[in-house]
Amino acid sequence: MSGYGLGPGFFLVCINYEKILKEGAKSIIAEAEECLRNLRYTASDSIDKQHYWEAVIRVFKAWVRFAGRYADLAEQMAAEETNLRRRDELLEMARICRKVPYEPADTFREAMQSFWFTFLLACPSPTTTAGRFDQYMYPYYRHDIDAGLLTDDDVLELLEIMRCKVMKINRVSGKANRAKNSGMAKWYNWTIGGVDTQGNDVTNELSYLLLESARDTQLPHFTVTVRVHEKTPDKLMQKALEVVKTGLGMPAFLSDDSYINFFTMNGMSLEEARDYCATGCVDGNIPAKTRSQVVTFFIIAQAFDIFMHDGYCRYTKEQVGIHTGSVAEFTDFESFKAAFYRQMDFLMHLAAERNNVELIAERSLFPDPFRSALMKDGVSSGKDLLDRHFDFENGSLLGAVGGVNTGDSLAAIKTLVFDQKKYTMAELLTALDADWEGYEAMRADFLAAPKYGNNEDLPDQLVAEVYKVFADTCYSMDTAYGGKVTPNAISISAHQPGGACTGATPDGRKGGEILADASLSPNHGMDTHGPLAVLQSAMKVDQDPYQGTLMNMKFHPSALKTDEDLAKLGSMIKTYLTHGGKHIQFNVVNREEMVDAKENPEAHPELVVRVAGYSAYFTRLSGAIQDEVINRTAHDIA
């Protein structure tokens, strides 16, 4: 494990924004007060429930006072304002802040203010999501548009102001987190489109306006993510790709089929599964009904390096794994591969235990009465969201990093050691320990071995197998909450520190070099047969068992000049996401501009790129991540 993950207290959860909009904070306070009145001290958790309900009341009343201070300030400013129009605006702001979030919202402006107060209080974490914003906000939009209270231009202005406000939110963090969050990453995700509980497309006017707000402001946050299904309107795909074309790196695109399958295979009803949203980058959760608590990145490529050295870790210089024997003694590929999976199984179980320690510790260390009260049965349960069992325990996750490097390494070993017998395993191990120094010709052969991303069966099937074994192993391990470990396959930017702690690998990579980005993106420069071949390779991986996967793809701006180009790309995206794919996102950027921006950052302060599940200003990325984005293969639309 690289040690990079969410970090304690950073939960992936979508709270019930709609409840506050429709009922106001007063309904939460009233329910908690009623629970306290009816409490009888007859059970072992009675006092804990008392403390929880008292905390909910205290926090929500404080929240209302917080909003009231904005009203006080607006009234004070209005009293000193000489411009009558501005004075009226300030008085209207004061009225709204006196009303929400305590009372239900009636208009779009009130709903926006109520949402923003809710978002702010849910935002100690860099992973706060707005959920399906275009769905729960739409009734207020529709009401005001029909009543002539607002125009689309008014709504667009409010959405663009919201983007500016989101950009202002930041946090302090330690050195390790800064490496993982390279470029001041934030995972504030707004999910749009998709289907309703009956499977009908629910794209609406707000879906398009949110995309316009991203296009107009050109700010890297908040992230917009489009849910895609067979009946997603072509118009929405076109609008989304117009934003992608600007180089903003968003929106990302998710597969309704794959995410819904993930939740139904884990016990959620079809109707519940259809309501999923992206929390964090692409991590799926059901609003108010599931939460992800501990996410730790497991570096599969490092586990393979440990296996190649009989359980010894070259990075920590410790025996961390089990003894599987000298790799030079294996006489056939299947036995070799089976031994690696035994080693990976052992190391993954250690990782799962580490997650359980954190799960248990967080119950007492990170109580959160605000977000807890906005979960399903959040008040009546009398329990914090970290001390509850949900219908689907989506709480403990292992994130697969370096799976492509591992699959490519297995393909190279099978081809050159076991099939062609051009090299012995002992020779390979010696070359790896020397970091390929003095073995340049041999390294060239391993680099030239078949690689994932070109629609070649051998490496594609081995990458798919690595991910299958990883997922199957996750689902075999228990968590402290009673569910199973959930597999995830996103890297954020952990492929850089993950690579830094991994020695040379048989795919030709040198020790310490960055690993393949995302989870289903080919290794840098190894995909030589165009974007369709990349997608065909990825579709051989069973992605449904994963809570999220990541596919990065880069296009030169010249590839997306016309509406016809965008239509072709839109068709390609929809085909991929309705035939096994789970996620895809794009960088549309000129390599030469990035190279110059690295050398002359002051000349490119607003260059934005997509790193993993987030976009960032290129010049604020670490040098290793800058190089990784530069070196991704740039495709053309065929």
Side-chain angles (χ1 to χ4, degrees), residues 281-303:
C281 330
V282 299
D283 322 74
N285 273 293
I286 307 296
K289 295 180 179 178
T290 69
R291 53 91 177 87
S292 301
Q293 184 177 337
V294 178
V295 183
T296 302
F297 293 137
F298 185 92
I299 311 302
I300 301 176
Q302 189 187 36

Side-chain angles (χ1 to χ4, degrees), residues 54-124:
E54 288 174 342
V56 169
I57 293 166
R58 183 174 297 176
V59 167
F60 276 77
K61 284 185 174 180
W63 183 38
V64 173
R65 292 196 299 275
F66 170 68
R69 290 201 293 274
Y70 280 90
D72 293 342
L73 179 59
E75 288 172 350
Q76 176 187 332
M77 294 173 67
E80 300 168 356
E81 181 58 62
T82 58
N83 183 298
L84 294 181
R85 179 177 176 182
R86 178 58 178 163
R87 185 193 66 183
D88 289 344
E89 287 178 346
L90 289 165
L91 290 174
E92 176 64 0
M93 291 177 196
R95 181 195 70 78
I96 291 175
C97 293
R98 291 263 182 250
K99 179 178 180 180
V100 299
Y102 184 71
E103 298 282 352
D106 292 311
T107 67
F108 187 78
R109 287 183 186 275
E110 290 174 359
M112 284 287 288
Q113 187 62 65
S114 184
F115 162 79
W116 185 247
F117 281 140
T118 309
F119 185 80
L120 283 179
L121 211 63
C123 213

